[in-house]
Amino acid sequence: MSTENEEKYEKYYVPEQSPWPIVGAIGLFLLAFGGANFIQNSTGKYAPAATDGFSFQVMFSEWGWFVFALGLAIMIYMMWSWWKDTIQESMGGLYSAQMDRSFRQGMLWFISSEVMFFVAFFGALFYTRVLVMPWLAGEGNNAMTHALLYPDFMSHWPMTMLPTDKFEGAREAMGAAGLPAINTAILLTSSWTLTIAHHALKDGNRSALLNYTAITALLGIIFLGLQVWEYIHAYNALGLTLGSGIYGSTFFMLTGFHGLHVTIGTIYLIVLTVRIASGHFTAENHFAYEAGAWYWHFVDVVWLFLFIFVYVL
């Protein structure tokens, strides 16, 4: 190819065949399968009864945690290896402007899918609070349904008194003050420190870049520690558990999945901190850092909606 054509057409990098997608698929399957079994049987309410003969369900219920741990180990190994390959390709100068655009589009689609993920959960909360509970309380044309099913039921959120004896409701709702408010301040602060770090990267100030990225990662760790503390308080002091009706299930579904995303984002920030200390990223080539910043800001915005609709309202 002539020099003129080389200048006209940018290079296009085609990665080698990778084993990591199939490894990740296996890890995700084991993670979901083992985790679902472990959660179902850890409550004690749905654990299969022991029998005199062989029972695959009884046997597997004792191994759900092992399958979950195996899937988690495979996922960690997959992410570590895949990230290492991608970093080596980037640092080797193999990527072009076209690859940079592809990475950005992929990250935007990924965050869009995450938005839909949380929209579904917020939709479940909205459906329960705005439609189902008034319907069970007899609003509209449902007086007969109310009288036949739950004549003593009143529409009130958070629902701590359950219209059935099968589950025990929470003794008290989780308020917005205290740990939830502190965690909100922590995440807002972390967005500010990450923005400072991002601008420092563009300005070539590597000292500020390293310090503020490390501070953001530390704030993520503190958030997760306080959320664990909040969960312990919810279980022991408030009786708020996964088994305490629709309020408990939606509370832990939303805050738990958000906590999982904060965990992923914190790991990402720690990796970015290590890469910065190793001399990676320049003002011109730093998409991996921008992707982490996009993801972290997305997690922060989700928490603001969560704080308002789960804790405040």
Side-chain angles (χ1 to χ4, degrees):
M1 183 180 291
S2 64
T3 304
E4 180 180 352
N5 287 334
E6 289 179 354
E7 294 177 354
K8 182 177 179 181
Y9 300 104
E10 65 183 49
K11 61 182 180 179
Y12 186 91
Y13 174 66
V14 179
E16 297 180 357
Q17 289 187 345
S18 173
W20 306 128
I22 185 62
V23 172
I26 295 172
L28 279 174
F29 172 77
L30 294 176
L31 197 68
F33 193 49
N37 181 273
F38 175 76
I39 291 174
Q40 181 181 13
N41 291 284
S42 65
T43 61
K45 296 180 182 297
Y46 304 103
T51 60
D52 296 334
F54 175 79
S55 172
F56 175 78
Q57 189 177 11
V58 172
M59 179 195 72
F60 187 77
S61 67
E62 300 175 355
W63 289 89
W65 66 270
F66 174 77
V67 175
F68 176 83
L70 178 61
L72 181 61
I74 292 175
M75 288 299 298
I76 293 174
Y77 171 72
M78 180 274 296
M79 289 188 293
W80 175 275
S81 302
W82 204 340
W83 284 3
K84 182 181 69 174
D85 291 348
T86 305
I87 291 171
Q88 289 175 346
E89 292 169 352
S90 178
M91 297 303 294
L94 298 178
Y95 293 156
S96 63
Q98 186 278 333
M99 284 297 295
D100 186 74
R101 290 192 296 270
S102 296
F103 281 137
R104 292 176 184 275
Q105 291 172 5
M107 191 64 188
L108 288 174
W109 280 116
F110 170 70
I111 292 179
S112 298
S113 70
E114 291 286 271
V115 170
M116 295 299 104
F117 180 83
F118 279 101
V119 164
F121 289 154
F122 279 108
L125 180 65
F126 173 85
Y127 179 77
T128 299
R129 294 180 59 173
V130 178
L131 299 177
V132 173
M133 293 188 60
W135 183 81
L136 290 176
E139 292 188 13
N141 298 322
N142 301 304
M144 183 58 68
T145 302
H146 171 68
L148 292 176
L149 291 180
Y150 307 119
D152 298 328
F153 179 75
M154 294 183 295
S155 179
H156 179 268
W157 191 267
M159 189 172 65
T160 55
M161 299 299 296
L162 304 185
T164 175
D165 296 331
K166 185 176 181 180
F167 300 100
E168 182 179 350
R171 293 187 297 273
E172 185 179 345
M174 178 67 71
L179 291 177
I182 293 173
N183 266 345
T184 302
I186 288 174
L187 279 189
L188 291 176
T189 303
S190 71
S191 275
W192 175 66
T193 56
L194 187 58
T195 301
I196 294 177
H198 194 182
H199 284 286
L201 173 58
K202 293 180 178 180
D203 296 337
N205 187 346
R206 299 198 64 84
S207 177
L209 169 64
L210 177 62
N211 293 334
Y212 280 100
T213 304
I215 290 173
T216 307
L218 178 60
L219 290 173
I221 294 173
I222 294 173
F223 176 92
L224 292 172
L226 291 179
Q227 188 169 50
V228 171
W229 186 7
E230 177 188 359
Y231 278 7
I232 294 173
H233 173 72
Y235 263 73
N236 296 332
L238 306 181
L240 179 59
T241 68
L242 280 169
S244 57
I246 189 64
Y247 172 54
S249 60
T250 54
F251 175 84
F252 285 104
M253 178 177 65
L254 282 161
T255 60
F257 273 115
H258 179 268
L260 175 62
H261 284 72
V262 173
T263 301
I264 296 172
T266 301
I267 294 173
Y268 199 149
L269 289 170
I270 293 173
V271 172
L272 292 179
T273 303
V274 174
R275 290 192 63 185
I276 293 167
S278 301
H280 295 193
F281 305 125
T282 64
E284 296 77 23
N285 182 19
H286 59 267
F287 168 71
Y289 193 93
E290 282 192 337
W294 293 354
Y295 185 83
W296 191 257
H297 292 314
F298 159 74
V299 170
D300 290 353
V301 171
V302 170
W303 175 260
L304 290 178
F305 282 97
L306 194 151
F307 180 71
I308 293 172
F309 290 104
V310 174
Y311 291 96
V312 177
L313 298 181

